[in-house]
Amino acid sequence: MKTTYLITALCALFLICGSAAARTDSLSTGRNIWDIRLGVSVVPVSSVQVKRYSSYNYDKPLHNMYGDYSGPLTSSPNFAAEAMVHLSKKSALGVAVSVCFHNYRIFSAVENDKQVSSVTSAALYVLPTYRLYYLNKDMVRLYGNVSLGLTSYFNTDISGSRYIPQVAFNISPIGVEVGRRWFGFAELGFGTVYCGVSLGFGYKF
């Protein structure tokens, strides 16, 4: 838990320092220095970290054939919120917070494969992010992101809720924004958060 507090404090310092550095440039150029974004990304990577049985297997030891087992895991996309402060026309700093949910059902072999419970898990990410713009025009912008922070897994075991902080990262080598104050975006990325596509919209101010 102390690690999470430290990361949160560093993220706040990250944004404060970035905002102060960008303030002078904003006053001199009159441009918007902040943007906020909401997005969804697939395919989530956190599902491979969730402790579970993927399916019932009769090759297991005899005592497991007469106990509880779990069905396939289902996962939601990653839902993300992000705030960025623009240091210059070429770079920006920010923090992204995202969450992904997982669910699997528990069955009893003793009770003729009757469902006896279900488990819902969550993966929460807090990722300071650096963005580099390859092209920054009024209507279209091309960029890349590098994010490094923490993820925490909650309720990943049948026996109860567990808090498991781990280092997390994601890299988006190419992304595009289209629009002025209101804009849409699409990114290709990989890492411990997702591997695939992230889509969403944002607002500059």
Side-chain angles (χ1 to χ4, degrees):
M1 200 57 90
K2 290 182 179 179
T3 306
T4 302
Y5 293 148
L6 177 60
I7 291 293
T8 303
L10 288 175
C11 289
L13 182 62
F14 201 59
L15 286 177
I16 291 171
C17 292
S19 180
R23 184 64 177 169
T24 301
D25 183 63
S26 174
L27 292 174
S28 63
T29 62
R31 67 183 180 87
N32 299 314
I33 64 170
W34 285 91
D35 69 59
I36 54 174
R37 311 204 304 179
L38 296 176
V40 59
S41 56
V42 292
V43 175
V45 177
S46 56
S47 59
V48 301
Q49 300 285 353
V50 179
K51 184 177 181 180
R52 68 194 186 281
Y53 295 117
S54 60
S55 61
Y56 188 49
N57 184 351
Y58 280 95
D59 292 332
K60 291 179 181 179
L62 185 61
H63 67 277
N64 282 343
M65 294 173 58
Y66 297 96
D68 294 343
Y69 65 95
S70 66
L73 182 78
T74 59
S75 300
S76 74
N78 279 297
F79 301 99
E82 183 182 274
M84 300 291 291
V85 56
H86 293 258
L87 304 180
S88 68
K89 195 173 181 179
K90 286 289 188 181
S91 63
L93 292 175
V95 175
V97 178
S98 65
V99 63
C100 180
F101 299 98
H102 312 280
N103 180 268
Y104 58 93
R105 295 178 295 171
I106 309 299
F107 300 90
S108 174
V110 176
E111 300 180 55
N112 296 319
D113 302 320
K114 176 183 176 182
Q115 181 180 336
V116 293
S117 66
S118 65
V119 176
T120 299
S121 308
L124 177 67
Y125 302 88
V126 179
L127 299 169
T129 301
Y130 174 77
R131 179 174 299 154
L132 176 65
Y133 285 92
Y134 314 133
L135 175 70
N136 194 344
K137 299 296 185 182
D138 187 40
M139 192 67 184
V140 178
R141 295 164 294 279
L142 299 176
Y143 61 89
N145 289 333
V146 176
S147 303
L148 178 65
L150 278 183
T151 179
S152 296
Y153 296 95
F154 298 90
N155 198 34
T156 59
D157 191 86
I158 297 173
S159 61
S161 181
R162 294 188 179 184
Y163 171 80
I164 310 172
Q166 297 180 15
V167 173
F169 77 93
N170 231 73
I171 298 172
S172 299
I174 186 66
V176 59
E177 293 177 350
V178 178
R180 292 186 173 89
R181 180 153 290 190
W182 286 98
F183 61 90
F185 71 88
E187 299 175 1
L188 290 175
F190 64 92
T192 60
V193 183
Y194 74 95
C195 287
V197 179
S198 177
L199 302 171
F201 66 93
Y203 179 74
K204 293 182 179 294
F205 60 96

